[in-house]
Amino acid sequence: MKYFIVAGERSGDLHAGNLAAAMRQLDPAVELRGWGGEKMRGAGVQILQRYEELAFMGFWEVLKNLGKIRGFMRLAQQQIEAFSPDALILVDYAGFNLRLARWAKARGIRVFYYIAPKAWAWNKSRVHQLRKYTDLTLAIFPFEVPFFEQYGVPVKYVGNPLFDEIRQFRPDPAFLADRGSKPVVALLPGSRKQEIEAMLKTMAELTRTLPEYQWVIAGISTFPRAFYTSQGGTFQLVFDRTYDLLSVADAAVVTSGTATLETALFRVPEVVVYKTSALTYAIARLLVKIRFISLVNLVADKEVVKELIQGEYTTENTGNELKKLLSDNKFRERQLNEYKILTETLGDREASKTAAHTILNF
């Protein structure tokens, strides 16, 4: 059997890589090609396009790059036709992948969607696209199943793939071995260039304002050191060691995204932050119909972690939240207890194996 997998960003590459590895374990003869990164390549996928070139975020940024995005779409279609796969596996990256699903379905190609578009948050028209253009949606949050079912979308909950990645992780005992007595605060500015640029200034100010903490930024090696140090600040910078950092952190400041849930699963108290362009934020306010932006609060359906968004994301506000997490034991324990409930809600099934088995035996 032949499968073409499309992941358009770092987290998609991570989960698609684990899915591909599970598929190969179940069927060593399976042939895999697609778009992604090193995680997928390491799992035996022949990578035809790197995801880093696809990471456009925000309404204005997408509009500016429409010509480039259309070119990528034509390239993907040509490569899929040349490969002639038995099925197309789309991983997250909804703006691009749903258009690709429509094209594939019209040509009789079976379509699986893994890590579904967040239609429960905004743009509910995507629900109808999933119903019309996919054969099965593989959900990673329990609450997604009843939501999609009410619109007639074929859906199955396979578990959350972050458990798979964390289950495989083995901490490095030498990591920050000489960290001293100061509490370690992890700074997770994100994975895409535009969001990192938006988050770093306040994070750098924070490190200068509160010298009583040991600050460590989780960097990504696709960006140079100078990119992270351009705003000054007093911090250590580690590359591609986010899980090692979370395994020793006492608290964290986390850019909204997958990392908020990862931080919770590592049981690290956190404050969630986010900032984007004024235009993108204004449009999002009109379109997004949810109370929270962090995955932790969305799954819990209540405020478990503090969210500081746009104008609320200041050095003072962030510092005050951190002080409560590090100095107020009751406040800290309350968040940690909610993390335990969150873990029980998600369950601990092996999502990658469940998803792989479902696809191969569909």
Side-chain angles (χ1 to χ4, degrees):
M1 298 287 282
K2 300 193 297 183
Y3 297 88
F4 198 101
I5 308 174
V6 180
E9 49 198 349
R10 186 171 181 265
S11 61
D13 173 55
L14 173 70
H15 301 317
N18 285 333
L19 173 64
M23 291 175 72
R24 283 197 169 281
Q25 188 176 27
L26 291 169
D27 180 6
V30 73
E31 190 175 350
L32 304 172
R33 293 185 191 176
W35 289 24
E38 289 308 307
K39 187 72 178 182
M40 287 170 61
R41 190 191 305 278
V45 182
Q46 182 183 347
I47 299 299
L48 305 180
Q49 172 65 50
R50 296 281 306 187
Y51 74 82
E52 289 90 349
E53 297 179 50
L54 311 173
F56 306 109
M57 61 174 295
F59 302 101
W60 175 239
E61 290 78 12
V62 169
L63 285 173
K64 285 194 301 183
N65 290 281
L66 274 179
K68 192 178 291 187
I69 293 169
R70 289 192 185 104
F72 281 128
M73 181 63 67
R74 288 192 295 270
L75 177 62
Q77 292 168 356
Q78 291 165 5
Q79 291 174 345
I80 292 168
E81 284 185 327
F83 185 44
S84 188
D86 294 289
L88 178 64
I89 302 173
L90 304 173
V91 183
D92 206 353
Y93 201 54
F96 186 89
N97 274 341
L98 282 173
R99 287 172 174 79
L100 195 56
R102 179 177 182 174
W103 171 88
K105 197 65 179 174
R107 283 151 184 80
I109 301 172
R110 184 167 288 167
V111 178
F112 297 98
Y113 213 114
Y114 183 44
I115 307 180
K118 296 175 179 62
W120 34 266
W122 72 290
N123 201 350
K124 283 191 179 178
S125 65
R126 289 177 169 177
V127 175
H128 307 297
Q129 295 176 61
L130 284 173
R131 186 185 69 247
K132 290 191 287 187
Y133 307 133
T134 68
D135 292 274
L136 183 64
T137 292
L138 305 170
I140 63 169
F141 297 111
F143 66 80
E144 291 180 317
V145 173
F147 173 82
F148 286 126
E149 283 181 338
Q150 69 179 319
Y151 292 97
V153 177
V155 60
K156 177 179 180 179
Y157 177 59
V158 295
N160 196 287
L162 288 179
F163 281 106
D164 296 352
E165 193 65 19
I166 293 171
R167 192 181 287 112
Q168 296 171 24
F169 169 71
R170 298 292 179 272
D172 178 1
F175 182 78
L176 291 188
D178 57 348
R179 56 185 176 272
S181 59
K182 290 183 178 181
V184 175
V185 179
L187 298 174
L188 278 58
S191 61
R192 291 172 288 195
K193 185 175 186 289
Q194 289 159 298
E195 69 181 359
I196 296 172
E197 287 175 332
M199 308 310 294
L200 272 179
K201 182 179 179 180
T202 302
M203 288 185 175
E205 289 175 356
L206 201 59
T207 68
R208 292 190 290 266
T209 305
L210 297 170
E212 62 267 33
Y213 303 140
Q214 182 176 352
W215 303 94
V216 187
I217 288 183
I220 298 170
S221 57
T222 48
F223 302 109
R225 177 172 289 272
F227 177 66
Y228 290 97
T229 59
S230 60
Q231 299 293 333
T234 305
F235 55 82
Q236 290 176 257
L237 176 61
V238 297
F239 287 102
D240 305 328
R241 304 289 296 274
T242 301
Y243 281 8
D244 276 310
L245 176 55
L246 289 175
S247 72
V248 301
D250 297 290
V253 179
V254 187
T255 298
S256 181
T258 305
T260 65
L261 187 55
E262 290 175 305
T263 302
L265 295 179
F266 270 93
R267 295 185 56 76
V268 178
E270 65 182 302
V271 52
V272 174
V273 296
Y274 199 77
K275 192 171 188 177
T276 186
S277 70
L279 176 62
T280 295
Y281 181 68
I283 296 172
R285 284 286 300 271
L286 293 172
L287 297 178
V288 176
K289 307 299 181 185
I290 51 176
R291 295 164 56 205
F292 306 109
I293 65 166
S294 69
L295 289 173
V296 175
N297 291 344
L298 285 167
V299 174
D301 196 27
K302 62 181 177 180
E303 186 181 85
V304 173
V305 298
K306 183 68 175 178
E307 298 178 353
L308 299 175
I309 307 168
Q310 209 68 2
E312 293 180 345
Y313 174 40
T314 64
T315 305
E316 182 180 6
N317 288 345
T318 311
N320 288 339
E321 289 300 319
L322 274 176
K323 288 174 185 176
K324 286 193 287 185
L325 290 172
L326 290 165
S327 304
D328 186 333
N329 287 335
K330 286 186 177 179
F331 186 82
R332 181 184 180 88
E333 283 302 315
R334 190 180 307 123
Q335 193 173 109
L336 292 175
N337 288 335
E338 292 291 349
Y339 283 175
K340 183 179 179 182
I341 297 170
L342 177 79
T343 302
E344 293 169 353
T345 300
L346 292 172
D348 62 353
R349 69 181 73 185
E350 296 182 84
S352 302
K353 285 186 178 179
T354 304
H357 186 272
T358 300
I359 291 170
L360 292 171
N361 294 281
F362 185 75

